[in-house]
Amino acid sequence: MAESMDFLKSMSIATSGLRAQAGRMRVISENIANADSTASTAGGDPYRRKVPTFTSTLDRALDAQVVSLGRIKTDTTSSFRIKHEPGNPAADANGNVKYPNVNSLVEMTDMREAQRSYEANLNIISATRRMIQRTLDILKA
Amino acid sequence: MAITDLPMLSMLRTKMQWHQERQRVLAENVSNSDTPNFRPRDLVEPSFDKTGINGMHEISMVRTSASHIQAAGVSEAFGSNTNGGYETRPAGNAVNIEDEMLKVASNQMDYAAAASLYTKSLDLIKTAIGKR
């Protein structure tokens, strides 16, 4: 009977959510860690902010829409922060240094959102677990 | 007649299956809560007629042979309701996590209620056959 596996399906779907959010956290921490990574050559481009994307894919084995981390793209729309530091090895001819387009406030907001979604998925798993427990209680009675 | 054919038990079983299926749909909504253009879904509550038979009529593609693969993404026995989601974010996602958490909690509690009713009904049968 296919229905008997439905609770495990719910758990697998929630796990796909956990995995995707954890991947998003990884990208966010990469951005924060590299918030001040300048170029290694004079006048070169520094670290560019990365943006995780999510896609909803049909898992044929589960017959459900699971989520997965799509391509990790780079943020090309926002501009680099420019500081005047003539002594910096990465400075161009005018003494300006390009710093990454990472805004720590934006990253923190994204991190909170990822955390919240992660907790929501965990909540699904524990709720499903309690439902399985109730089913097993029928046998005990 | 098998024990599971008793109207009371089969009603509870349908209800529990419905909760199980709904949990799956809610898990889908929550895990896709950050996917662009994803709209949340929910299941239509089962309705029972006087004899305790689930009055829902499924609409799904007919399988002409048992060896054919079932149409994916269509819930087998319960209708799905896609008009959920009243606030859509700029990315086109309409999942409201608080709303989904509420649904998950109520789904879990209703399931617990159905499961304990099932236990009580089994107790009733046990009393009838003189086990206690």
Side-chain angles (χ1 to χ4, degrees):
Chain A
M1 221 186 206
E3 296 99 64
S4 61
M5 293 295 284
D6 256 11
F7 278 143
L8 299 180
K9 267 190 204 173
S10 304
M11 284 196 164
S12 309
I13 296 166
T15 312
S16 81
L18 289 180
R19 210 179 296 123
Q21 297 298 339
R24 184 190 191 183
M25 278 299 242
R26 200 195 64 224
V27 175
I28 293 170
S29 59
E30 214 172 303
N31 285 342
I32 293 178
N34 283 299
D36 290 312
S37 303
T38 52
S40 50
T41 55
D45 277 356
Y47 173 83
R48 212 178 262 277
R49 176 173 177 255
K50 287 180 184 166
V51 184
T53 59
F54 291 118
T55 47
S56 172
T57 46
L58 179 75
D59 188 314
R60 294 214 173 268
L62 291 177
D63 184 21
Q65 295 281 336
V66 299
V67 67
S68 58
L69 200 61
R71 287 178 63 97
I72 295 173
K73 296 182 176 159
T74 48
D75 182 355
T76 51
T77 52
S78 55
S79 49
F80 295 125
R81 287 175 288 144
I82 295 177
K83 284 188 190 168
H84 186 68
E85 284 176 4
N88 197 310
D92 61 9
N94 299 323
N96 289 334
V97 182
K98 284 188 209 162
Y99 276 91
N101 53 350
V102 176
N103 183 342
S104 51
L105 192 71
V106 172
E107 300 303 327
M108 286 297 163
T109 320
D110 280 356
M111 196 178 78
R112 287 264 178 246
E113 201 185 323
Q115 207 175 353
R116 211 175 64 121
S117 304
Y118 193 89
E119 277 164 16
N121 280 297
L122 270 185
N123 199 5
I124 293 272
I125 292 183
S126 52
T128 311
R129 215 179 62 91
R130 279 195 288 271
M131 285 168 90
I132 295 175
Q133 194 59 49
R134 292 306 295 218
T135 320
L136 294 177
D137 284 349
I138 294 178
L139 287 175
K140 284 191 212 152
Chain B
M1 179 168 146
I3 274 188
T4 47
D5 289 341
L6 291 174
M8 179 73 178
L9 291 181
S10 74
M11 262 168 89
L12 285 171
R13 225 172 32 157
T14 309
K15 186 146 175 66
M16 284 162 81
Q17 268 170 13
W18 181 77
H19 285 302
Q20 203 174 29
E21 186 77 11
R22 190 175 188 217
Q23 186 75 5
R24 186 179 69 81
V25 172
L26 294 177
E28 256 178 58
N29 291 347
V30 171
S31 69
N32 283 297
S33 65
D34 290 312
T35 310
N37 297 322
F38 183 86
R39 298 196 72 79
R41 296 189 301 162
D42 200 354
L43 292 186
V44 179
E45 217 163 324
S47 56
F48 298 97
D49 61 11
K50 266 182 280 177
T51 51
I53 295 164
N54 182 11
M56 300 282 301
H57 294 292
E58 57 198 284
I59 303 169
S60 62
M61 279 196 260
V62 176
R63 277 193 291 180
T64 48
S65 159
S67 55
H68 288 169
I69 300 170
Q70 187 128 23
V74 181
S75 88
E76 280 171 47
F78 306 104
S80 88
N81 175 6
T82 48
N83 53 20
Y86 41 84
E87 52 169 43
T88 309
R89 282 183 272 161
N93 187 295
V95 180
N96 183 343
I97 287 210
E98 288 78 16
D99 212 33
E100 300 299 324
M101 290 295 107
L102 193 78
K103 282 181 190 166
V104 168
S106 76
N107 193 41
Q108 187 208 325
M109 285 189 319
D110 289 349
Y111 184 85
S116 60
L117 269 174
Y118 197 94
T119 316
K120 295 281 179 225
S121 311
L122 287 183
D123 282 352
L124 212 66
I125 296 169
K126 279 182 193 156
T127 310
I129 59 176
K131 275 281 180 193
R132 56 177 74 176

